[in-house]
Amino acid sequence: MKEINLSTKITVYPIEECSDIEKKLIEAAKNATLNSYAPYSEFHVGAAALLANGEIITGNNQENAAYPSGLCAERTAVFYAHSKYPDQKVEAIAIAAWNKGEFTKDVITPCGGCRQVLLEAENRFNSPMKVMMCGNDSVYVVSSIKDLLPLSFGDEMLKK
């Protein structure tokens, strides 16, 4: 028997230490929460994707009474970005959440389904995507979605 240890490097810093473009991306994600449709959970999530061409595309969660039929903010943003700009990679994505009248104190992380979609976007362009998970005062940053989805299932599995 052998043991495999996995580790993830997450950089944590106050939002005021972000670069100007990171602050712009975080603000776009926060603004996107305001247009989400979350009548059931009342948990409003926004995402903002920075494309290689400099465009920022936002998305938000869209709930449905039949829960599996809704869609998360991250997937909404990435799918819209690639439908509008199919040749542009996503360089970074910021995620923010608003609940009970205020932005969440703790950082918001992508669900498993969103992690898989973000991985596909990375693999599509063979380029890592910075993921910024925002809280009210701080942000967690990983340099690739692979940091949040170790031992992931990707296209290389289908080629074996």
Side-chain angles (χ1 to χ4, degrees), residues 6-7 9 12 34-35 41-42 47 56 60 63-64 76 86 100 106 114 119 121 129 136-137 141 144 150:
L6 304 171
S7 65
K9 178 185 171 191
V12 180
L34 303 176
N35 294 325
S41 71
E42 297 182 12
I56 294 177
N60 43 52
E63 292 182 350
N64 191 291
T76 302
K100 297 180 180 164
D106 297 323
C114 287
L119 175 69
M129 174 190 316
N136 201 28
D137 300 318
V141 179
S144 168

Side-chain angles (χ1 to χ4, degrees), residues 82-97:
H82 286 155
S83 72
K84 189 168 182 175
Y85 301 102
D87 61 339
Q88 296 296 307
K89 69 180 178 181
V90 177
E91 292 187 343
I93 190 165
I95 309 154

Side-chain angles (χ1 to χ4, degrees), residues 8 39 50 54 63 65 76 111 113 122 127 130 133-134 145 148 153:
T8 298
L50 174 65
E63 292 182 350
T76 302
C111 73
E122 275 194 3
S127 180
K130 180 192 293 187
M133 299 156 285
C134 305
I145 192 62
L148 297 179
F153 181 85

Side-chain angles (χ1 to χ4, degrees), residues 11-73:
T11 305
V12 180
Y13 48 90
I15 291 176
E16 42 293 340
E17 289 183 18
C18 292
S19 69
D20 288 342
I21 190 65
E22 289 172 331
K23 287 178 185 173
K24 186 175 180 181
L25 204 57
I26 291 167
E27 193 61 30
K30 286 183 170 185
N31 286 337
T33 66
L34 303 176
N35 294 325
S36 75
Y37 179 70
Y40 307 106
S41 71
E42 297 182 12
F43 194 77
H44 303 268
V45 181
L50 174 65
L51 305 184
N53 65 1
E55 291 285 331
I56 294 177
I57 302 295
T58 61
N60 43 52
N61 58 322
Q62 300 294 312
E63 292 182 350
N64 191 291
Y67 277 114
S69 299
L71 197 59
C72 298

Side-chain angles (χ1 to χ4, degrees), residues 69-143:
S69 299
L71 197 59
C72 298
E74 299 92 316
R75 284 182 266 176
T76 302
V78 169
F79 291 156
Y80 178 57
H82 286 155
S83 72
K84 189 168 182 175
Y85 301 102
D87 61 339
Q88 296 296 307
K89 69 180 178 181
V90 177
E91 292 187 343
I93 190 165
I95 309 154
W98 181 79
N99 189 31
K100 297 180 180 164
E102 62 186 10
F103 288 104
T104 57
K105 181 180 185 303
D106 297 323
V107 299
I108 181 72
T109 61
C111 73
C114 287
R115 292 175 194 212
Q116 188 66 42
V117 167
L118 296 176
L119 175 69
E120 186 71 23
E122 275 194 3
N123 289 345
R124 178 179 181 176
F125 292 98
N126 194 28
S127 180
M129 174 190 316
K130 180 192 293 187
V131 181
M132 303 172 61
M133 299 156 285
C134 305
N136 201 28
D137 300 318
S138 63
V139 61
Y140 285 15
V141 179
V142 293
S143 59

